[in-house]
């Protein structure tokens, strides 16, 4: 499991409220990723990080921001949650840059009412 | 950016038969192609991967083939078993450590 945990694992919130999801890894991996998974769309990259304070946008970044102040933590924030952000969110880390294999966390199921 | 298409979206096979899932990609610079298996309510897990300098790779009952010229790659599962029932995702990486995923194939193995 590459030592990846996500919190919370489940969350119900209301439209317009801010939400922060946390990804924590214990393997000192440099790259970390946030994906969302929706039926019919596979996994889509929201944001990723290639080091402390180094982040970049993915293909579906609108409405999301991220921060990485420590190697082990990568936070995803929904500034003002909308119903379209109801999804399952997965964090991932890159094992090694040579292997290119990404390992996924257990996921966070978010429901925005 | 990279665009990965995956077919079929659902696949039902009789136990013991083979299953084949096909993916195409758009960026000829892609050089790493992993396959993930996701059981219901679980995280995606890597089952096999292949790099652009290899045409085929096998691991017990699963194999992946890559045709760089046609820009497509396939997952083959032989002698399917009930535990092979899951959603399978293909992906492609253009050497920038970002994966583009296909939409997934739901495989059901009938006993």
């Amino acid at each position: 499991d590459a030592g990846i945990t996500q919190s919370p694992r489940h969350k119900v919130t209301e439209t317009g409220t801010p939400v922060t999801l946390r990804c924590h890894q214990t393997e000192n991996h440099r790259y970390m990723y946030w994906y969302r998974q929706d039926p019919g769309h596979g996994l889509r990259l929201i944001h990723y990080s290639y080091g402390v304070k180094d982040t970049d946008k993915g293909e579906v970044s609108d409405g999301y921001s991220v921060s990485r102040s420590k190697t082990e933590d990568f936070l995803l924030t929904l500034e003002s949650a909308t119903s379209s952000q109801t999804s399952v969110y997965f964090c991932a880390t890159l094992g090694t840059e040579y292997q290119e294999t990404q390992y996924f966390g257990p996921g966070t199921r978010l429901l925005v009412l | 950016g990279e665009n990965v298409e995956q077919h079929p979206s659902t696949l039902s096979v009789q136990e013991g038969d083979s299953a084949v899932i096909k993916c195409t990609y758009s960026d000829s610079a892609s050089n790493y192609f992993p396959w993930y298996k996701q059981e219901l309510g679980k995280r995606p897990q890597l089952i096999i991967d292949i790099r652009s300098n290899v045409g085929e790779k096998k691991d017990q009952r699963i194999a992946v083939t890559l045709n760089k010229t046609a820009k497509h790659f396939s997952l083959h599962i032989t002698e399917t078993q009930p535990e092979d029932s899951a959603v399978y995702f293909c992906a492609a990486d253009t050497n920038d450590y970002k994966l583009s995923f296909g939409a997934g194939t739901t495989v059901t193995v009938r006993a």
Side-chain angles (χ1 to χ4, degrees), chain A residues 1 4 31 33 35 37 40-43 45 48 57 90 94 97-106 109, chain B residues 31-32 36 38 41-46 49 51 87 89 93-104:
Chain A
D1 294 344
I4 305 171
Y31 281 79
Y33 309 83
Y35 293 90
Q37 184 174 37
H41 290 278
L43 292 141
L45 182 65
Y48 68 103
K57 296 178 180 180
F90 285 98
L94 186 71
E97 289 158 42
Y98 173 73
Q99 286 182 310
E100 297 184 74
T101 300
Q102 291 189 22
Y103 298 95
F104 286 83
R109 192 170 293 273
Chain B
N31 60 2
Y32 173 65
Y36 286 83
Q38 186 179 28
K42 304 290 187 181
R43 73 189 78 190
Q45 295 201 303
L46 180 77
D49 56 12
R51 298 186 183 279
V87 181
F89 294 98
D93 182 350
T94 52
N95 202 31
D96 58 359
Y97 308 119
K98 291 189 294 182
L99 290 175
S100 294
F101 284 85

Side-chain angles (χ1 to χ4, degrees), chain B residues 70-89:
Chain B
K71 289 191 282 188
H72 68 69
F73 56 113
S74 300
L75 177 72
H76 303 253
I77 307 172
T78 59
E79 300 172 19
T80 52
Q81 301 169 5
E83 54 263 38
D84 295 328
S85 294
V87 181
Y88 292 81
F89 294 98

